[in-house]
Amino acid sequence: MSISVRVPTILRTYTDGESEVTAAGDTLAAVLDDLDAKYAGIKGRILDEAGNLRRFVNVYVGNEDVRFLDNLDTPTPDGTQISVIPAVAGG
């Protein structure tokens, strides 16, 4: 099973500068576990201490925000593209 994960610039220090990496897992939680096994520490930048998505990090499976799907239990079938997008604030 191959999942493509787009990595924002701020997290590329964990992926040796790669903007897109591959991972495996049948849910978003499993994909994040696999990512963390390959790129130690990246999961801690996406999830908070309670294991929930950080408030200012948006994660999309395909074109859908996982907060409007099944959150970490969102299915990730083979070929899925996941995008991790830090929220931008300003005015």
Coordinates of all heavy atoms in Angstrom, one line a residue:
M1 N 0.9 -1.2 0.0 CA 0.0 0.0 0.0 C 0.9 1.2 0.0 O 1.8 1.4 0.8 CB -0.9 0.0 1.2 CG -1.8 1.2 1.3 SD -2.9 1.2 2.8 CE -4.0 -0.1 2.4
S2 N 0.7 2.1 -0.9 CA 1.5 3.3 -1.0 C 0.6 4.6 -1.0 O -0.3 4.8 -1.7 CB 2.3 3.3 -2.4 OG 3.1 4.4 -2.5
I3 N 1.0 5.4 0.0 CA 0.3 6.7 0.2 C 1.3 7.8 0.0 O 2.4 7.7 0.5 CB -0.2 6.8 1.7 CG1 -1.0 5.5 2.1 CG2 -1.0 8.1 1.9 CD1 -2.3 5.3 1.3
S4 N 0.9 8.8 -0.7 CA 1.8 10.0 -0.9 C 1.5 11.0 0.1 O 0.3 11.4 0.3 CB 1.6 10.5 -2.4 OG 2.3 11.7 -2.6
V5 N 2.5 11.6 0.7 CA 2.3 12.6 1.8 C 3.0 13.8 1.4 O 4.3 13.8 1.2 CB 2.7 12.1 3.2 CG1 2.5 13.2 4.2 CG2 2.0 10.8 3.5
R6 N 2.3 14.9 1.2 CA 3.0 16.2 0.9 C 3.4 16.9 2.2 O 2.5 17.0 3.1 CB 2.0 17.1 0.1 CG 1.7 16.7 -1.3 CD 0.9 17.7 -1.9 NE 0.6 17.3 -3.3 CZ -0.2 17.9 -4.1 NH1 -1.0 18.9 -3.7 NH2 -0.4 17.5 -5.3
V7 N 4.6 17.3 2.3 CA 5.2 17.8 3.5 C 5.4 19.3 3.4 O 6.1 19.7 2.4 CB 6.5 17.1 3.8 CG1 7.1 17.6 5.1 CG2 6.3 15.6 3.9
P8 N 4.9 20.1 4.3 CA 5.1 21.5 4.2 C 6.6 21.9 4.5 O 7.3 21.1 5.2 CB 4.2 22.1 5.2 CG 4.1 21.0 6.3 CD 4.1 19.8 5.5
T9 N 7.0 23.0 4.0 CA 8.4 23.5 4.2 C 8.8 23.4 5.6 O 10.0 22.9 5.9 CB 8.5 24.9 3.6 OG1 8.1 25.0 2.3 CG2 10.0 25.4 3.7
I10 N 8.0 23.8 6.6 CA 8.4 23.8 8.0 C 8.7 22.5 8.5 O 9.5 22.3 9.5 CB 7.3 24.5 8.8 CG1 7.8 24.8 10.2 CG2 6.0 23.7 8.9 CD1 8.3 26.2 10.3
L11 N 8.2 21.4 7.9 CA 8.5 20.0 8.4 C 9.5 19.3 7.6 O 9.8 18.1 7.9 CB 7.2 19.2 8.5 CG 6.1 19.7 9.4 CD1 4.9 18.8 9.4 CD2 6.6 19.8 10.9
R12 N 10.0 19.9 6.6 CA 11.0 19.2 5.7 C 12.3 18.9 6.4 O 13.1 18.1 5.9 CB 11.2 19.9 4.4 CG 9.9 19.9 3.6 CD 10.0 20.6 2.3 NE 8.7 20.7 1.7 CZ 8.4 21.6 0.7 NH1 9.3 22.3 0.2 NH2 7.2 21.6 0.2
T13 N 12.6 19.5 7.5 CA 13.8 19.2 8.2 C 13.7 17.7 8.7 O 14.8 17.1 8.9 CB 14.0 20.1 9.4 OG1 12.9 20.1 10.3 CG2 14.3 21.5 9.0
Y14 N 12.5 17.2 8.9 CA 12.3 15.8 9.3 C 12.5 14.8 8.2 O 12.7 13.7 8.4 CB 11.0 15.6 10.0 CG 10.8 16.4 11.3 CD1 10.3 17.7 11.3 CD2 11.3 15.8 12.5 CE1 10.2 18.4 12.5 CE2 11.1 16.5 13.7 CZ 10.6 17.8 13.7 OH 10.5 18.5 14.8
T15 N 12.2 15.3 6.9 CA 12.2 14.4 5.8 C 13.4 14.7 4.9 O 13.4 14.4 3.7 CB 10.9 14.6 5.0 OG1 10.9 16.0 4.5 CG2 9.7 14.3 5.8
D16 N 14.5 15.2 5.4 CA 15.7 15.5 4.7 C 15.5 16.4 3.5 O 16.1 16.2 2.4 CB 16.4 14.2 4.2 CG 16.9 13.3 5.4 OD1 17.3 13.9 6.4 OD2 16.7 12.1 5.3
G17 N 14.5 17.3 3.7 CA 14.3 18.3 2.6 C 13.2 17.8 1.6 O 12.9 18.6 0.7
E18 N 12.8 16.6 1.7 CA 11.8 16.1 0.7 C 10.5 16.8 0.9 O 9.9 16.9 2.0 CB 11.7 14.6 0.8 CG 12.9 13.8 0.5 CD 13.3 13.9 -1.0 OE1 12.4 13.9 -1.9 OE2 14.5 14.1 -1.3
S19 N 9.8 17.2 -0.2 CA 8.5 17.8 -0.2 C 7.4 16.8 -0.3 O 6.3 17.1 0.1 CB 8.4 18.8 -1.3 OG 8.5 18.2 -2.6
E20 N 7.7 15.6 -0.7 CA 6.7 14.5 -0.8 C 7.4 13.2 -0.5 O 8.5 12.9 -1.0 CB 6.1 14.5 -2.2 CG 4.9 13.7 -2.3 CD 4.1 13.9 -3.6 OE1 3.9 15.1 -3.9 OE2 3.7 12.9 -4.2
V21 N 6.8 12.5 0.4 CA 7.3 11.2 0.8 C 6.2 10.1 0.7 O 5.0 10.5 0.6 CB 7.9 11.2 2.3 CG1 9.0 12.2 2.4 CG2 6.8 11.6 3.3
T22 N 6.5 8.9 0.9 CA 5.5 7.8 0.8 C 5.4 7.2 2.2 O 6.4 7.1 3.0 CB 5.9 6.8 -0.2 OG1 7.1 6.2 0.0 CG2 5.8 7.3 -1.6
A23 N 4.3 6.6 2.5 CA 4.0 5.9 3.7 C 3.0 4.9 3.5 O 2.4 4.8 2.4 CB 3.5 6.9 4.8
A24 N 2.7 4.1 4.5 CA 1.8 3.0 4.4 C 0.8 3.0 5.6 O 1.2 3.5 6.6 CB 2.5 1.6 4.3
G25 N -0.4 2.6 5.4 CA -1.4 2.5 6.4 C -2.8 2.6 5.9 O -3.0 3.3 4.9
D26 N -3.7 1.9 6.6 CA -5.1 2.0 6.1 C -5.9 3.1 6.7 O -7.1 3.3 6.3 CB -5.8 0.6 6.3 CG -5.8 0.2 7.7 OD1 -5.2 0.8 8.6 OD2 -6.4 -0.9 8.0
T27 N -5.4 3.8 7.6 CA -6.0 5.0 8.2 C -5.0 6.1 8.3 O -3.8 5.8 8.3 CB -6.6 4.7 9.6 OG1 -5.6 4.4 10.5 CG2 -7.7 3.6 9.6
L28 N -5.4 7.3 8.5 CA -4.5 8.4 8.7 C -3.6 8.2 9.9 O -2.4 8.4 9.9 CB -5.3 9.7 8.9 CG -4.4 11.0 9.2 CD1 -3.4 11.2 8.1 CD2 -5.3 12.2 9.4
A29 N -4.1 7.6 11.0 CA -3.3 7.3 12.2 C -2.2 6.3 11.9 O -1.1 6.5 12.3 CB -4.2 6.8 13.3
A30 N -2.5 5.3 11.1 CA -1.5 4.3 10.7 C -0.4 5.0 9.8 O 0.8 4.7 9.9 CB -2.2 3.1 10.0
V31 N -0.9 5.8 8.9 CA 0.1 6.5 8.0 C 1.0 7.4 8.9 O 2.2 7.4 8.6 CB -0.6 7.4 7.0 CG1 0.3 8.3 6.2 CG2 -1.4 6.4 6.0
L32 N 0.5 8.1 9.9 CA 1.3 9.0 10.7 C 2.3 8.1 11.5 O 3.5 8.5 11.7 CB 0.5 9.8 11.6 CG -0.4 10.9 10.9 CD1 -1.2 11.7 11.9 CD2 0.5 11.9 10.1
D33 N 1.9 7.0 12.0 CA 2.8 6.0 12.7 C 3.9 5.6 11.8 O 5.1 5.6 12.2 CB 2.0 4.8 13.2 CG 1.2 5.1 14.4 OD1 1.4 6.2 15.1 OD2 0.2 4.3 14.7
D34 N 3.6 5.2 10.5 CA 4.6 4.8 9.6 C 5.6 6.0 9.3 O 6.8 5.8 9.2 CB 3.9 4.3 8.3 CG 4.9 3.7 7.3 OD1 5.7 2.8 7.8 OD2 5.0 4.0 6.2
L35 N 5.0 7.2 9.1 CA 5.9 8.3 8.8 C 6.8 8.5 10.0 O 8.0 8.8 9.7 CB 5.0 9.6 8.7 CG 4.5 9.9 7.3 CD1 3.7 11.3 7.4 CD2 5.6 10.0 6.3
D36 N 6.3 8.4 11.2 CA 7.2 8.7 12.4 C 8.3 7.6 12.5 O 9.4 7.9 12.9 CB 6.3 8.7 13.6 CG 7.0 9.5 14.7 OD1 7.4 10.7 14.5 OD2 7.2 9.0 15.8
A37 N 8.0 6.4 12.1 CA 9.0 5.3 12.1 C 10.1 5.6 11.1 O 11.3 5.3 11.3 CB 8.3 4.0 11.7
K38 N 9.8 6.3 10.0 CA 10.7 6.6 8.9 C 11.4 7.9 9.2 O 12.6 8.1 8.8 CB 10.1 6.7 7.6 CG 9.5 5.3 7.1 CD 8.8 5.5 5.7 CE 8.2 4.2 5.2 NZ 7.4 4.4 4.1
Y39 N 10.7 8.9 9.8 CA 11.1 10.3 10.0 C 10.8 10.6 11.4 O 9.8 11.3 11.7 CB 10.5 11.2 9.0 CG 10.6 10.8 7.5 CD1 9.5 10.2 6.9 CD2 11.8 10.9 6.9 CE1 9.6 9.8 5.6 CE2 11.9 10.5 5.5 CZ 10.8 9.9 4.9 OH 10.9 9.5 3.6
A40 N 11.7 10.2 12.3 CA 11.5 10.4 13.7 C 11.2 11.8 14.1 O 11.8 12.7 13.7 CB 12.7 9.9 14.5
G41 N 10.1 12.0 14.9 CA 9.7 13.3 15.4 C 8.6 14.0 14.6 O 8.0 14.9 15.1
I42 N 8.4 13.6 13.4 CA 7.4 14.3 12.5 C 6.0 14.3 13.1 O 5.2 15.2 13.0 CB 7.5 13.9 11.0 CG1 6.8 14.9 10.2 CG2 7.0 12.5 10.9 CD1 7.1 14.8 8.7
K43 N 5.6 13.1 13.6 CA 4.3 12.9 14.1 C 4.0 13.9 15.3 O 2.9 14.4 15.4 CB 4.1 11.5 14.6 CG 2.8 11.1 15.1 CD 2.7 9.7 15.5 CE 1.6 9.3 16.4 NZ 1.6 7.9 16.7
G44 N 5.0 14.2 16.1 CA 4.9 15.1 17.2 C 4.6 16.5 16.8 O 4.2 17.3 17.6
R45 N 4.9 16.8 15.6 CA 4.7 18.2 15.0 C 3.3 18.3 14.4 O 2.8 19.4 14.2 CB 5.7 18.6 14.0 CG 7.2 18.5 14.5 CD 7.5 19.4 15.6 NE 7.3 20.7 15.2 CZ 7.3 21.8 16.0 NH1 7.3 21.6 17.3 NH2 7.2 23.0 15.5
I46 N 2.7 17.1 14.2 CA 1.3 17.1 13.6 C 0.3 16.9 14.7 O -0.8 17.4 14.6 CB 1.3 16.0 12.5 CG1 2.3 16.4 11.4 CG2 -0.1 15.9 11.9 CD1 2.5 15.3 10.3
L47 N 0.6 16.0 15.6 CA -0.3 15.7 16.7 C 0.1 16.4 18.0 O 1.3 16.5 18.3 CB -0.4 14.2 16.9 CG -0.8 13.3 15.7 CD1 -0.9 11.9 16.1 CD2 -2.2 13.8 15.2
D48 N -0.8 16.7 18.9 CA -0.5 17.3 20.2 C -0.2 16.2 21.2 O -0.2 15.0 20.8 CB -1.6 18.2 20.6 CG -3.0 17.6 20.9 OD1 -3.0 16.3 21.0 OD2 -4.0 18.3 20.9
E49 N 0.0 16.6 22.4 CA 0.4 15.6 23.5 C -0.8 14.6 23.8 O -0.5 13.5 24.2 CB 0.7 16.3 24.8 CG 2.0 17.2 24.7 CD 1.7 18.5 23.9 OE1 0.6 19.0 23.8 OE2 2.7 19.0 23.3
A50 N -2.0 15.0 23.5 CA -3.2 14.1 23.7 C -3.4 13.2 22.5 O -4.3 12.3 22.5 CB -4.4 14.9 24.0
G51 N -2.6 13.3 21.4 CA -2.8 12.5 20.3 C -3.8 13.0 19.3 O -4.2 12.2 18.4
N52 N -4.2 14.2 19.4 CA -5.1 14.8 18.4 C -4.4 15.7 17.5 O -3.3 16.2 17.8 CB -6.2 15.7 19.2 CG -7.0 14.8 20.2 OD1 -7.5 13.8 19.8 ND2 -7.1 15.3 21.4
L53 N -5.0 16.0 16.4 CA -4.4 17.0 15.4 C -4.1 18.3 16.1 O -5.0 18.8 16.8 CB -5.3 17.2 14.2 CG -5.3 16.1 13.2 CD1 -6.4 16.4 12.1 CD2 -4.0 15.8 12.6
R54 N -2.9 18.9 15.9 CA -2.7 20.2 16.5 C -3.6 21.2 15.9 O -4.1 21.1 14.7 CB -1.2 20.6 16.2 CG -0.2 19.8 17.0 CD 1.2 20.4 16.8 NE 2.1 19.6 17.6 CZ 2.3 19.8 18.9 NH1 1.7 20.7 19.5 NH2 3.2 19.0 19.5
R55 N -4.0 22.2 16.7 CA -5.0 23.1 16.4 C -4.7 23.9 15.1 O -5.6 24.2 14.3 CB -5.1 24.1 17.5 CG -6.2 25.1 17.4 CD -6.4 25.9 18.7 NE -7.2 27.0 18.4 CZ -7.3 28.0 19.3 NH1 -6.7 28.0 20.4 NH2 -8.1 29.0 19.0
F56 N -3.4 24.2 14.8 CA -3.1 25.0 13.7 C -2.4 24.2 12.5 O -1.6 24.7 11.7 CB -2.1 26.1 14.1 CG -2.8 27.1 15.0 CD1 -2.5 27.2 16.3 CD2 -3.8 27.9 14.5 CE1 -3.2 28.0 17.2 CE2 -4.5 28.8 15.4 CZ -4.2 28.8 16.7
V57 N -2.8 22.9 12.5 CA -2.3 22.0 11.4 C -3.5 21.4 10.8 O -4.4 20.9 11.4 CB -1.4 20.9 11.9 CG1 -1.0 19.9 10.8 CG2 -0.1 21.5 12.6
N58 N -3.6 21.6 9.5 CA -4.7 21.0 8.7 C -4.2 19.8 7.9 O -3.1 19.9 7.3 CB -5.3 22.0 7.7 CG -5.9 23.2 8.5 OD1 -6.7 23.0 9.4 ND2 -5.5 24.4 8.1
V59 N -4.9 18.7 7.9 CA -4.6 17.5 7.1 C -5.7 17.2 6.2 O -6.8 17.1 6.6 CB -4.2 16.4 8.1 CG1 -3.9 15.1 7.3 CG2 -3.1 16.7 9.0
Y60 N -5.3 17.0 5.0 CA -6.3 16.6 3.9 C -6.0 15.2 3.4 O -4.8 14.9 3.1 CB -6.3 17.6 2.8 CG -6.8 19.0 3.1 CD1 -6.0 19.9 3.8 CD2 -8.1 19.3 2.8 CE1 -6.5 21.1 4.2 CE2 -8.6 20.6 3.2 CZ -7.8 21.5 3.8 OH -8.3 22.7 4.2
V61 N -7.0 14.4 3.3 CA -6.9 13.1 2.6 C -7.6 13.4 1.3 O -8.9 13.6 1.3 CB -7.5 12.0 3.4 CG1 -7.6 10.7 2.6 CG2 -6.7 11.8 4.7
G62 N -6.9 13.3 0.2 CA -7.5 13.7 -1.1 C -7.7 15.2 -1.0 O -6.8 16.0 -0.6
N63 N -8.9 15.7 -1.3 CA -9.3 17.1 -1.2 C -10.1 17.4 0.1 O -10.7 18.5 0.1 CB -10.0 17.5 -2.4 CG -9.1 17.5 -3.6 OD1 -7.9 17.8 -3.6 ND2 -9.7 17.1 -4.8
E64 N -10.2 16.5 1.0 CA -11.1 16.6 2.1 C -10.4 16.8 3.4 O -9.4 16.0 3.7 CB -12.0 15.4 2.3 CG -12.9 15.1 1.1 CD -14.0 16.2 0.9 OE1 -14.5 16.7 1.9 OE2 -14.3 16.4 -0.3
D65 N -10.7 17.8 4.2 CA -10.2 18.0 5.5 C -10.6 16.9 6.4 O -11.8 16.7 6.6 CB -10.7 19.4 6.0 CG -10.1 19.8 7.3 OD1 -9.6 19.0 8.1 OD2 -10.0 21.1 7.6
V66 N -9.7 16.2 7.1 CA -10.0 15.1 7.9 C -10.9 15.5 9.1 O -11.5 14.6 9.7 CB -8.7 14.3 8.4 CG1 -8.0 13.7 7.2 CG2 -7.9 15.2 9.3
R67 N -10.9 16.7 9.5 CA -11.7 17.1 10.6 C -13.2 17.0 10.3 O -14.1 16.9 11.1 CB -11.4 18.6 11.0 CG -10.1 18.6 11.8 CD -9.8 20.0 12.4 NE -8.7 20.1 13.2 CZ -7.5 20.4 12.9 NH1 -7.2 20.8 11.6 NH2 -6.5 20.4 13.7
F68 N -13.5 17.0 9.0 CA -14.9 16.8 8.5 C -15.2 15.4 8.0 O -16.2 15.1 7.6 CB -15.2 17.8 7.4 CG -15.1 19.2 7.9 CD1 -14.0 20.0 7.5 CD2 -16.1 19.8 8.7 CE1 -13.9 21.3 8.0 CE2 -15.9 21.1 9.1 CZ -14.8 21.9 8.8
L69 N -14.2 14.5 8.2 CA -14.3 13.1 7.9 C -14.3 12.3 9.2 O -15.0 12.6 10.1 CB -13.2 12.7 6.9 CG -13.2 13.4 5.5 CD1 -12.0 13.0 4.7 CD2 -14.5 13.1 4.7
D70 N -13.4 11.4 9.3 CA -13.3 10.6 10.5 C -12.0 10.9 11.3 O -11.5 10.0 12.0 CB -13.3 9.1 10.1 CG -14.6 8.7 9.6 OD1 -15.7 9.2 10.1 OD2 -14.7 7.8 8.7
N71 N -11.5 12.1 11.1 CA -10.3 12.6 11.8 C -9.1 11.5 11.6 O -8.9 11.2 10.5 CB -10.6 12.8 13.3 CG -10.0 14.1 13.8 OD1 -8.9 14.5 13.3 ND2 -10.6 14.7 14.8
L72 N -8.5 11.1 12.7 CA -7.4 10.1 12.5 C -7.8 8.8 12.0 O -7.0 8.0 11.6 CB -6.6 10.0 13.8 CG -5.9 11.3 14.3 CD1 -5.3 11.1 15.7 CD2 -4.9 11.7 13.3
D73 N -9.1 8.5 12.1 CA -9.6 7.2 11.6 C -10.0 7.3 10.1 O -10.6 6.3 9.6 CB -10.8 6.7 12.4 CG -10.4 6.4 13.9 OD1 -9.3 5.9 14.1 OD2 -11.2 6.7 14.8
T74 N -9.8 8.4 9.5 CA -10.1 8.5 8.1 C -9.3 7.5 7.2 O -8.1 7.3 7.4 CB -9.7 9.9 7.6 OG1 -10.4 10.9 8.3 CG2 -10.0 10.1 6.1
P75 N -10.1 6.7 6.4 CA -9.4 5.7 5.6 C -8.5 6.3 4.6 O -8.7 7.4 4.1 CB -10.6 5.0 4.9 CG -11.8 5.4 5.6 CD -11.5 6.7 6.3
T76 N -7.4 5.6 4.3 CA -6.4 6.0 3.4 C -6.1 4.8 2.4 O -5.1 4.1 2.5 CB -5.1 6.4 4.1 OG1 -4.6 5.4 4.9 CG2 -5.3 7.7 4.9
P77 N -7.0 4.7 1.4 CA -6.8 3.6 0.4 C -5.5 3.8 -0.4 O -5.0 4.9 -0.5 CB -8.0 3.6 -0.4 CG -8.7 4.9 -0.2 CD -8.2 5.4 1.1
D78 N -5.0 2.7 -0.9 CA -3.8 2.7 -1.8 C -4.0 3.8 -2.8 O -5.0 4.0 -3.5 CB -3.6 1.4 -2.4 CG -2.3 1.3 -3.1 OD1 -1.3 1.8 -2.6 OD2 -2.2 0.6 -4.1
G79 N -2.9 4.6 -3.0 CA -2.9 5.7 -4.0 C -3.4 7.0 -3.5 O -3.4 8.0 -4.2
T80 N -3.8 7.1 -2.2 CA -4.3 8.3 -1.6 C -3.2 9.3 -1.5 O -2.0 9.0 -1.3 CB -4.9 8.0 -0.2 OG1 -6.0 7.2 -0.3 CG2 -5.3 9.3 0.5
Q81 N -3.5 10.6 -1.6 CA -2.6 11.7 -1.4 C -3.0 12.4 -0.1 O -4.2 12.8 0.0 CB -2.5 12.6 -2.6 CG -1.4 13.7 -2.3 CD -1.0 14.4 -3.6 OE1 -1.9 15.0 -4.2 NE2 0.2 14.3 -4.0
I82 N -2.1 12.6 0.8 CA -2.3 13.3 2.0 C -1.5 14.6 2.0 O -0.3 14.6 1.6 CB -1.9 12.5 3.2 CG1 -2.8 11.2 3.3 CG2 -2.0 13.3 4.5 CD1 -2.4 10.2 4.4
S83 N -2.1 15.7 2.4 CA -1.5 17.0 2.4 C -1.5 17.5 3.9 O -2.6 17.5 4.5 CB -2.1 18.0 1.5 OG -2.1 17.6 0.2
V84 N -0.3 17.8 4.4 CA -0.2 18.4 5.7 C 0.0 19.9 5.5 O 1.0 20.3 4.8 CB 0.9 17.8 6.5 CG1 1.1 18.5 7.9 CG2 0.8 16.3 6.7
I85 N -0.9 20.8 6.0 CA -0.8 22.2 5.7 C -0.9 23.0 7.0 O -2.0 22.9 7.7 CB -2.0 22.6 4.8 CG1 -1.9 21.8 3.5 CG2 -1.9 24.1 4.5 CD1 -3.1 22.0 2.6
P86 N 0.2 23.7 7.4 CA 0.1 24.5 8.6 C -0.8 25.7 8.3 O -0.8 26.3 7.2 CB 1.5 24.9 8.8 CG 2.2 24.8 7.5 CD 1.5 23.7 6.7
A87 N -1.6 26.0 9.3 CA -2.5 27.2 9.2 C -1.7 28.5 9.1 O -0.6 28.6 9.8 CB -3.5 27.2 10.3
V88 N -2.1 29.4 8.4 CA -1.4 30.7 8.2 C -2.3 31.8 8.8 O -3.5 31.9 8.6 CB -1.2 31.0 6.7 CG1 -0.5 32.4 6.6 CG2 -0.3 29.9 6.1
A89 N -1.7 32.6 9.7 CA -2.5 33.7 10.3 C -1.8 35.0 9.9 O -0.6 35.0 9.6 CB -2.4 33.5 11.8
G90 N -2.6 36.0 10.0 CA -2.0 37.3 9.7 C -3.2 38.3 9.4 O -4.3 37.9 9.4
G91 N -2.8 39.4 9.1 CA -3.9 40.4 8.8 C -3.4 41.6 8.1 O -2.4 41.8 7.7

